[in-house]
Amino acid sequence: MSETAYVARTMIAPRSAPVRTTGVLGFIRTRLLNSPTNILLTIACILLLWFTIIPTVRFLLVDAVWQGSDRNACLPETVGRPVGACWPFIQAKLSQFIYGFYPEAERWRVDLTFFIGIVLLLPLLIPRAPAKGINAALFFFVFPIVAFFLLHGGYGGLDIVPTRLWGGMLVTLVVAITGIVASMPIGIALALGRRSSIPLIRFGSIAFIEFWRGVPLITVLFFATYMLPLFLPGNFSVDGLVRVLIGVALFAGAYNAEVIRGGLNAVPRGQAEAANALGLSWWKTTRLVVLPQALRHVIPGLVNSFIALLKDTSLVSIVALFDLLGQLRAAFADPAWSSPTTLFTGFAFTGIIYFVLCFGMSRYSLFVERRLNAHRRS
């Protein structure tokens, strides 16, 4: 055997990957054009984007009219070119979309309510913010009372503003937030009741859930608005908005109950048995061991229900409550802004608002889900 050996004393520098497999070119070759099926799908997607995104951008931005005082500013005859979105219409009706028919001199009360709500809600959404317990108590228990007295009035020298004058984003947020907050304890109670070993509680919960899930929300709103007063005694009456809020909360609570029950079923029985072995009562086992794990499992389903509820708030317009969409339709009746593009501009504006709210809820739920499931990634 030869005693001569050749051993490299330095490491050879790694060569860069071929250009055709990295970067934009590599992404296109490996992800978009790597098979006949993907080529056809890529072409179809490009055509779909071309025929949807480009016209949308042209309508909303390029051909849009940004200034004007009436419908004449949004007419092609006046502008001398094809007209896209009529944004002066939104500017003129913006206060109506936010406050509805709330008296102009009292709108500071709505602004103050929004401000207090945002100040209390933001720390709840930030994980590192301190005093979560106090903040949650203020937001869920104190804020609704303060908001009601501020918006309705009748106390402390504030004039009474009937709920029939509320409208726009005010009604949309009141119905959505009340429905979301109130439906959670109802859903948890019904989900636990459906798993109860006491027959009366179990069958009562099942009957409640099946009844509310078996009727459409429109029927619930009609019943709460027009039929419920027929069953109330004498002069006793409940405000129309309150009746709608109760109906929406019960309806959403029945749906949330089934979502939460799915989470309860996903918790292994050994968790509760281990808690019982440690001497924890049923309430402590449920509150400290079972429910936190169950709710963590069903975050996507719950957020899906909340998003659906937010969009379903537009149904209150059929019972004479003017939410954001109802105010939009009322604004269309103004002849001063009647133009060929007013209708599309209004729906595009409300669509953007609903999308921002729903997308924000979706992204925040993903953030919470990743944070709570951090132990599973390690």
Side-chain angles (χ1 to χ4, degrees):
M1 176 180 292
S2 174
E3 296 181 353
T4 304
Y6 297 95
V7 179
R9 296 182 181 277
T10 59
M11 294 294 292
I12 300 176
R15 292 182 297 178
S16 58
V19 176
R20 62 180 182 176
T21 62
T22 60
V24 177
L25 184 61
F27 177 82
I28 294 175
R29 291 187 72 256
T30 58
R31 301 293 182 87
L32 303 180
L33 305 176
N34 59 337
S35 69
T37 304
N38 277 355
I39 292 174
L40 291 177
L41 289 175
T42 301
I43 295 174
C45 290
I46 290 174
L47 292 176
L48 180 64
L49 293 175
W50 179 265
F51 287 110
T52 56
I53 300 298
I54 300 299
T56 302
V57 172
R58 286 184 61 85
F59 177 83
L60 295 178
L61 300 176
V62 178
D63 294 336
V65 176
W66 299 93
Q67 293 182 343
S69 57
D70 56 18
R71 63 185 293 273
N72 293 324
C74 301
L75 294 177
E77 298 80 7
T78 306
V79 181
R81 60 174 174 79
V83 174
C86 181
W87 293 117
F89 164 71
I90 301 298
Q91 296 169 15
K93 301 294 182 182
L94 187 59
S95 60
Q96 184 178 334
F97 295 154
I98 296 176
Y99 306 103
F101 303 110
Y102 209 90
E104 188 171 354
E106 304 292 333
R107 288 177 179 174
W108 63 270
R109 289 154 58 176
V110 180
D111 298 333
L112 182 59
T113 304
F114 286 162
F115 176 76
I116 296 175
I118 293 173
V119 168
L120 293 178
L121 179 62
L122 282 180
L124 287 178
L125 301 180
I126 301 174
R128 293 184 178 179
K132 280 285 192 296
I134 298 176
N135 202 350
L138 290 174
F139 182 77
F140 291 112
F141 299 106
V142 178
F143 174 65
I145 300 173
V146 174
F148 174 79
F149 287 135
L150 266 177
L151 295 174
H152 186 268
Y155 301 91
L158 297 176
D159 295 334
I160 295 178
V161 180
T163 56
R164 58 184 170 78
L165 297 181
W166 301 12
M169 278 301 297
L170 174 61
V171 165
T172 297
L173 293 178
V174 167
V175 175
I177 294 176
T178 304
I180 290 173
V181 173
S183 66
M184 276 301 293
I186 295 174
I188 292 174
L190 290 173
L192 294 175
R194 188 159 186 168
R195 291 162 49 95
S196 174
S197 59
I198 303 175
L200 185 61
I201 296 178
R202 184 170 68 253
F203 290 123
S205 300
I206 293 174
F208 185 92
I209 293 172
E210 296 302 332
F211 171 77
W212 288 95
R213 286 201 311 165
V215 294
L217 181 56
I218 295 178
T219 305
V220 174
L221 296 177
F222 265 109
F223 180 82
T225 303
Y226 300 113
M227 296 187 64
L228 183 62
L230 301 178
F231 298 95
L232 297 178
N235 297 325
F236 184 76
S237 63
V238 181
D239 185 84
L241 179 60
V242 176
R243 293 199 296 267
V244 167
L245 293 177
I246 294 174
V248 170
L250 295 177
F251 185 85
Y255 274 87
N256 288 345
E258 287 302 281
V259 176
I260 296 171
R261 188 171 69 89
L264 293 173
N265 291 338
V267 178
R269 179 175 297 180
Q271 297 284 324
E273 293 175 349
N276 293 333
L278 293 174
L280 295 183
S281 63
W282 182 88
W283 288 105
K284 287 186 176 180
T285 301
T286 302
R287 182 168 60 88
L288 301 176
V289 178
V290 178
L291 263 183
Q293 298 183 66
L295 294 178
R296 189 175 60 195
H297 289 314
V298 297
I299 288 176
L302 285 176
V303 174
N304 198 37
S305 298
F306 295 158
I307 290 175
L309 177 61
L310 173 63
K311 292 187 292 185
D312 285 345
T313 56
S314 59
L315 294 176
V316 301
S317 61
I318 65 173
V319 291
L321 288 177
F322 288 86
D323 70 321
L324 177 61
L325 213 56
Q327 288 293 342
L328 176 67
R329 286 197 291 268
F332 290 153
D334 186 357
W337 288 102
S338 177
S339 72
T341 59
T342 300
L343 184 73
F344 304 109
T345 305
F347 281 117
F349 175 71
T350 54
I352 292 172
I353 291 178
Y354 276 105
F355 175 79
V356 170
L357 293 177
C358 295
F359 186 71
M361 292 171 62
S362 173
R363 302 311 299 177
Y364 185 75
S365 75
L366 289 176
F367 165 72
V368 174
E369 191 177 353
R370 283 195 298 268
R371 181 179 174 83
L372 295 179
N373 292 325
H375 64 285
R376 296 185 177 182
R377 298 196 302 268
S378 59

